[in-house]
Amino acid sequence: MTSVFTVTEQHQAQLYALLTANGHDVLEHTPGFLGSTLTRSDDGRHVVHHARWRDDGALAAMLASPAARASIAASRLLAEVQVFRSHDVQAFEAS
């Protein structure tokens, strides 16, 4: 799942900190979570979170949890978000 958050420059750091805390406090302890990346843009207006899940059931269980729901609500106070379901992720590393 990929989430693209659009924020004002003054809220980017706050949103990034919120999503980082959510990663440590919620995602890392959720069954079926495989990993994620969190990136903030240089223009101060975007944060992108790409999360990998074992299956759709694991993702649905996380989204239904009270901790996740609270984090989602808090992030929506700071930013507009577009969520995309994604599959077939390729990772590339320098050789």
Side-chain angles (χ1 to χ4, degrees):
M1 182 172 79
T2 301
S3 302
V4 178
F5 298 86
T6 302
V7 296
T8 59
E9 289 181 53
Q10 65 264 28
H11 288 124
Q12 188 195 47
Q14 184 180 1
L15 176 66
Y16 190 82
L18 172 73
L19 296 173
T20 298
N22 182 65
H24 292 303
D25 298 341
V26 178
L27 297 180
E28 289 178 350
H29 306 287
T30 301
F33 175 70
L34 300 176
S36 68
T37 58
L38 185 62
T39 307
R40 56 184 169 169
S41 65
D42 288 343
D43 68 2
R45 303 246 323 125
H46 299 92
V47 176
V48 177
H49 182 237
H50 176 77
R52 296 180 324 277
W53 295 91
R54 179 185 62 229
D55 53 40
D56 288 340
L59 172 59
M62 182 278 299
L63 291 172
S65 75
R69 293 173 66 103
S71 178
I72 291 167
S75 67
R76 289 180 186 256
L77 292 175
L78 297 171
E80 292 181 22
V81 62
Q82 291 180 289
V83 178
F84 304 92
R85 295 284 180 132
S86 54
H87 298 87
D88 301 329
V89 176
Q90 290 288 330
F92 300 96
E93 301 287 333
S95 54

